[in-house]
Every structure is written in structure tokens, then in C-alpha cells.
Amino acid sequence: MTETTKTHVILLACGSFNPITKGHIQMFERARDYLHKTGRFIVIGGIVSPVHDSYGKTGLVSSRHRLTMCQLAVQSSDWIRVDPWECYQDTWQTTCSVLEHHRDLMKRVTGCILSNVNTPSITPVIGQPQNESSQNFYQNNNNVSSKPTAAKILGKVGESLSRICCVRPPMERFTFVDENANLGTVMRYEEIELRILLLCGSDLLESFCIPGLWNEADMEVIVGEFGIVVVPRDGADPERIMNHSSILRKYKNNILVVKDDSNHPMSVVSSTKSRLALQHGDGHVVDYLCQPVIDYILKSQLYINASG
């Protein structure tokens, strides 16, 4: 496939991130590597979306702390950013609502129509924002070329998002451009197809099979319209999990299971294990959390006791 026919993807991960772990970041990296290797996708960005405080999970620390820890965890990444939208709403938001928010946000700032897994768009999906003037929106500052490259276009999307995003945490990372991705030579913006995919571990996929836990209409939208990228965890078999849900079976082709030869210790995704290590003064906490996050936790005296 040429660069213009590949699907451009933004990976969105929702969760408590209480705290965010090395494993959470590894999930993004593994998913991106796998999608690139398929030859069908180019991952242009990753979004970490921490849950609202009213989610009500035992030991959930304030979103103020969780947002800061997430920012610290991705500060060295040039393609993953933290989005505060969920945390700044009046109440808890469903995963479906978060996906729809980001889809609608992309529509507003780009004037585009995003495709989904069932109906690939034949409409320009990255275009000139509707509220901008008719001047050359993608003009290179150095006047080397007036043609819109993928990096210019996607960079402008990120800049627009940073301007209109609600209240932002102190450390800002609002760019979707992966400078290391092979985006190829010049491509017309009309040719870029963009999708937002939910990134999750197999534990979240397994939760879809628990009767009454998820709203079925939401599941239809999440799996049927957006699609999921699943990173297997703790020896779980995503294929077996999918066979236990009629909706997952129905949209099986919309579920991308990451398959690679790496032996990443996905147990380090566990926020629970990292909190226990902190409570017990276990030096192995460095296996779970990056040093800036550990430093922030100690400075803020988080997770010192079992109640969080």
C-alpha cells in the first residue's frame, strides 16, 4: 500500500491511570509497532485519557495528581499526549462518550469527516478548517514548498486542538505528529483517511463479556463504529474472549489483536501492583513506574496507605 492509501490512526486509551505505569506506555508502543508492521496503518498519535474523579474506584487519587503523573510519564514521547477532557467534565463519562468527543473534536478543528471501520470515507478527511480564511493554510514558513505534506497537515491539526482544548494541565503535550514515522513524500490532504481506535488490554476486552457491565448500545458503537486495538495481558487469549460475546463475535474484524515476538512483561501494566509496591516500600516499584512518576508520588505522599 502507498502512504496515501494507508489508514492514519490515533490510539486512545481510557482508564484510571492510578498511577500510570511503564506498561501503559509499552502498550502504546507495541500497538504502534504492530499496526505499522501490518502495512495498513500509520499511527500519527496517542491519547491518554484519565477517568473522572466520580468514577468511584476505591483508592482513586485526585485527577489533578493523575493528570500530572500521566504528563510526566509521556514527557519524553513525541507522539503520545495526555487529554484532560474527561477529568474536567461535571461527572464521569462513558468510554463511548470519550471516543465520540474526540471524533467530534477532530471534525470541528479540521472540517473533516472521520471514517470508521465499517464505512471507509471517500470524503476528504483532513482539510482546511471551516473557520479559517482561504489563504494557503499549510504554507511552509521557509517557503521551500507550498504543498501540504502529511507532517504539515497533521501538525496543524495538533496545533488547532491545543488551542481549543478546554483547561489544560501545566505541562502541555498536544501534538499528534510522530516525527519518526515514515509518512512518505508529499500527499494531498484529500487522500488521508483518519480513524480513532480504542487501545486496551485483554482485561478490558474480557469485561465486555460480563453481563450488565457495559451498555450494549455503547458496545455496538465502540466495536462496530470505532474499532479496538487489543494488547494481550497475563496470558489471556483474546480469541477465546471474543467467542464469549455476541457483539465481539459480530464485529470480530474490527478488533485488532497485537501479535509480536517481544516478551514485554505486561504484568507491569498493573497500577494495583505498583500501589502495593509503594505501600510496602518495595524497591521493585522501579519495574512498574518511571522515575519522574515515582518522584512525584513521593513528593505528594500518594498511595502511602491502603485507602490511597
Side-chain angles (χ1 to χ4, degrees):
M1 299 178 71
T2 65
E3 301 303 319
T4 57
T5 58
K6 290 181 181 180
T7 298
H8 290 66
V9 170
I10 294 171
L11 296 171
L12 170 67
C14 300
S16 299
F17 302 108
N18 188 43
I20 189 169
T21 67
K22 290 180 178 179
H24 289 125
I25 306 303
Q26 287 176 4
M27 285 178 63
F28 275 97
E29 299 290 351
R30 288 183 64 186
R32 182 178 68 160
D33 290 347
Y34 175 74
L35 292 179
H36 285 178
K37 286 177 182 177
T38 67
R40 298 163 50 201
F41 306 97
I42 296 176
V43 177
I44 62 171
I47 302 174
V48 177
S49 184
V51 75
H52 192 274
D53 286 343
S54 65
Y55 182 56
K57 192 172 184 178
T58 302
L60 186 67
V61 302
S62 166
S63 60
R64 174 174 63 88
H65 292 305
R66 289 182 289 112
L67 281 168
T68 301
M69 288 187 286
C70 287
Q71 294 280 6
L72 290 168
V74 304
Q75 63 183 349
S76 62
S77 175
D78 59 1
W79 69 281
I80 305 172
R81 71 177 180 87
V82 180
D83 189 275
W85 181 81
E86 270 196 83
C87 294
Y88 293 160
Q89 299 311 294
D90 292 333
T91 187
W92 169 77
Q93 302 293 309
T94 65
T95 300
C96 183
S97 296
V98 179
L99 284 163
E100 291 175 333
H101 159 73
H102 284 285
R103 178 184 61 192
D104 295 343
L105 182 62
M106 293 297 290
K107 287 180 182 178
R108 290 200 303 275
V109 300
T110 65
C112 72
I113 298 175
L114 272 69
S115 62
N116 62 38
V117 290
N118 294 320
T119 55
S121 176
I122 57 172
T123 308
V125 295
I126 295 289
Q128 182 170 323
Q130 296 171 337
N131 60 352
E132 294 286 337
S133 66
S134 59
Q135 65 182 2
N136 190 346
F137 189 68
Y138 302 114
Q139 179 67 45
N140 189 313
N141 291 333
N142 297 323
N143 294 317
V144 174
S145 170
S146 62
K147 296 180 180 180
T149 64
K152 293 178 195 174
I153 296 165
L154 299 173
K156 184 57 66 177
V157 171
E159 291 169 12
S160 298
L161 281 171
S162 70
R163 288 197 297 270
I164 73 168
C165 224
C166 44
V167 183
R168 298 191 294 276
M171 293 174 289
E172 299 179 11
R173 296 195 63 82
F174 291 91
T175 175
F176 285 135
V177 181
D178 174 11
E179 299 294 346
N180 297 319
N182 178 18
L183 295 175
T185 55
V186 173
M187 63 173 74
R188 298 193 349 266
Y189 62 81
E190 299 98 293
E191 297 173 325
I192 299 176
E193 182 182 339
L194 177 62
R195 295 179 188 163
I196 299 175
L197 299 178
L198 179 65
L199 173 64
C200 69
S202 49
D203 53 334
L204 187 143
L205 189 70
E206 196 162 20
S207 73
F208 283 174
C209 303
I210 301 174
L213 184 61
W214 288 81
N215 179 289
E216 288 199 5
D218 282 1
M219 288 179 62
E220 286 275 352
V221 172
I222 293 169
V223 191
E225 292 187 17
F226 287 93
I228 304 178
V229 180
V230 182
V231 179
R233 286 181 56 183
D234 303 324
D237 181 359
E239 295 290 335
R240 178 189 60 79
I241 294 171
M242 284 186 270
N243 289 331
H244 281 78
S245 165
S246 59
I247 292 179
L248 295 182
R249 287 197 303 272
K250 179 180 178 182
Y251 296 111
K252 192 172 183 178
N253 290 337
N254 298 348
I255 302 172
L256 300 165
V257 179
V258 173
K259 299 173 183 176
D260 56 30
D261 299 325
S262 61
N263 292 309
H264 291 294
M266 294 311 290
S267 60
V268 299
V269 173
S270 176
S271 295
T272 301
K273 290 182 179 179
S274 65
R275 291 196 303 272
L276 288 172
L278 286 164
Q279 290 162 16
H280 297 151
D282 188 344
H284 286 96
V285 69
V286 296
D287 296 331
Y288 300 104
L289 308 176
C290 66
Q291 193 60 49
V293 171
I294 294 174
D295 293 341
Y296 180 83
I297 288 172
L298 295 177
K299 179 181 177 181
S300 304
Q301 292 291 288
L302 303 177
Y303 311 117
I304 301 303
N305 54 59
S307 64

